[in-house]
Amino acid sequence: MSSFDTEVPVLLLRLAPGPFPRSALGVVRSLGRAEIEVHAVAESARGPVGRSRYLHRMYARPSELTGPVAHAPLLDLLRDLSEGIGRPAVLLPVDDRGALAAARLAGRLLGRYLLPAQPAGLPERLADRAQLALLCRELGLPHPATVVPTGARQAADAAVELGLPLVAKWSRPWLLPPSAGLPGTTLVHTPDDARRLYEQTESAGSALLLQRLLPGGRGAEWFFHGCFTGDGACLIGGAGRGRPWAGPAAAARRLPNPRVERAALRLAGHLGYRGLLDLDFRRDAHGRYHLLGVSGRPGARFRLFTDPSSGLDAVRALHLDLTGRTVPRGPDTPGRRFRPGTYRRRTAPPDGTPPPAPPLPARSSAPPHGMPRGVPPAPTPGAPSRP
């Protein structure tokens, strides 16, 4: 396997509220075990990422970056962090808000950070759920029937036409203000529900989509995760199947699926996509695989596609590609299983109603989640081991 350029560190960026998702722990472990220095910036240092032995340093995100991202403060923060790191680093966002902001600032971060070169506006086009529906129509990829209503009455009529219950989504969920109390995705049971939801459009900050609900079930949930070069070639990745009615952190299995894989390659090639790509599919009763969502960041199950002979995964492949190293082609290993560790499996019945929220943990005596910039690096010898 090609050696990594360990002189090029990685900075994980999270702009959404709260600590890093647990998938970020897999990123930190994968890169850290390859002797790549990993830094991270987030609102909170709580959680397994902040305690990992493979994390070199955690930085607190300034309070002015809470809510809609202001580009000037973020640019200042990234420049300050670059000065502290002391050399160019791979910038790896782990949430949609961070990925979109980094793409917009890419031209002003040259010389400080390495990012996949993307066509102008592409990350935002893929993250916008209304644009995704148009893209699927353009490419002839199956996608659930979707209506973007232009009025409350049209929303109620569309709910009847699409069939109830249906799925309501805000096209740009990263713009939802916390004060609005609106989830990014909602199950709608009546036309009045659709009408009332449309009346919240101004508060939501983006358009409302009404989408036909595709029944889930055994063998219906599929996904694709991979790392692509600019010519649409997949460096590493593949298809997998998840458990029915379970969240993205649920256990899954790597299984070849030519239809899912062809759809992913077609999408990446058409767009000239480069970087990480995580796609969610659902199979309908006619055997068609509908593309439900696209994300340009590490997926929760990216380690499912690790080459056992070399340890290469999508995150490591991205680092090799951005630093000019050769990415080896490893053998496909179908049948591998992913178990999410401490995640609890949450299930929902076949009617599509969301699963109940897990109980809140008991209040602990831990210090507040705000932390000074620059948490001291690794603990001294003899300290308790970290995850």
Side-chain angles (χ1 to χ4, degrees):
M1 179 173 180
S2 299
S3 60
F4 294 95
D5 187 348
T6 55
E7 292 301 312
V8 180
V10 172
L11 175 65
L12 303 186
L13 175 65
R14 177 173 171 83
L15 295 181
F20 279 102
R22 285 192 179 273
S23 58
L25 179 60
V27 175
V28 173
R29 285 173 169 172
S30 176
L31 296 173
R33 287 167 179 165
E35 300 184 358
I36 297 169
E37 189 175 290
V38 183
H39 301 250
V41 56
E43 177 188 60
S44 171
R46 291 187 302 180
V49 171
R51 297 193 301 269
S52 175
R53 74 187 74 179
Y54 297 105
L55 183 69
H56 182 76
R57 178 164 288 186
M58 174 74 82
Y59 304 92
R61 195 192 70 209
S63 58
E64 59 264 31
L65 290 177
T66 301
V69 178
H71 290 159
L74 177 59
L75 183 61
D76 291 340
L77 171 66
L78 291 176
R79 286 173 173 171
D80 289 345
L81 294 179
S82 176
E83 292 293 334
I85 294 172
R87 55 198 188 278
V90 171
L91 183 58
L92 183 56
V94 295
D95 67 332
D96 289 336
R97 189 179 298 179
L100 295 173
R104 295 191 193 104
L105 295 175
R108 304 168 71 179
L109 296 174
L110 293 176
R112 295 179 180 272
Y113 294 99
L114 303 177
L115 286 160
Q118 301 283 16
L122 177 57
E124 192 164 273
R125 183 185 182 192
L126 289 178
D128 189 317
R129 293 163 168 178
Q131 291 295 317
L132 177 61
L134 296 176
L135 178 61
C136 288
R137 187 181 308 168
E138 177 184 331
L139 291 176
L141 297 177
H143 185 75
T146 302
V147 174
V148 183
T150 57
R153 177 63 181 272
Q154 186 184 7
D157 292 343
V160 175
E161 179 182 350
L162 290 171
L164 295 166
L166 58 80
V167 179
K169 301 178 179 179
W170 298 107
S171 64
R172 299 185 175 190
W174 64 91
L175 296 180
L176 287 169
S179 59
L182 295 171
T185 302
T186 309
L187 201 65
V188 172
H189 293 276
T190 69
D192 282 345
D193 289 343
R195 176 182 55 79
R196 285 192 293 268
L197 201 55
Y198 178 84
E199 292 170 351
Q200 301 294 319
T201 299
E202 185 175 350
S203 300
S206 64
L208 176 69
L209 280 71
L210 299 178
Q211 195 169 88
R212 181 169 295 156
L213 176 65
L214 297 178
R218 185 173 299 277
E221 309 299 328
W222 289 81
F223 56 90
F224 179 95
H225 193 280
C227 182
F228 288 83
T229 61
D231 59 1
C234 185
L235 298 172
I236 187 171
R241 189 179 68 193
R243 288 184 178 177
W245 314 303
R253 186 178 182 183
R254 178 176 180 174
L255 288 174
N257 188 320
R259 293 187 184 181
V260 168
E261 292 158 3
R262 282 198 299 267
L265 294 173
R266 184 177 180 186
L267 178 72
H270 175 78
L271 299 174
Y273 191 85
R274 185 182 184 190
L276 301 177
L277 195 60
D278 188 37
L279 309 176
D280 289 319
F281 294 85
R282 179 171 288 182
R283 190 179 68 184
D284 66 14
H286 304 286
R288 295 173 299 186
Y289 293 85
H290 294 251
L291 180 58
L292 300 183
V294 177
S295 177
R297 50 188 171 84
R301 297 166 290 204
F302 80 93
R303 299 182 79 185
L304 186 64
F305 303 99
T306 302
D307 176 9
S309 63
S310 65
L312 183 70
D313 57 37
V315 171
R316 290 184 175 186
L318 179 67
H319 191 278
L320 288 170
D321 187 43
L322 292 179
T323 55
R325 297 298 208 261
T326 300
V327 181
R329 303 283 178 164
D332 188 37
T333 312
R336 295 194 67 209
R337 296 178 184 273
F338 173 86
R339 291 181 175 84
T342 58
Y343 267 117
R344 294 180 179 178
R345 182 171 181 260
R346 298 171 60 194
T347 60
D351 63 2
T353 54
L360 293 175
R363 184 180 296 275
S364 72
S365 59
H369 65 259
M371 60 176 296
R373 289 176 60 167
V375 169
T380 56
S385 61
R386 299 193 290 170

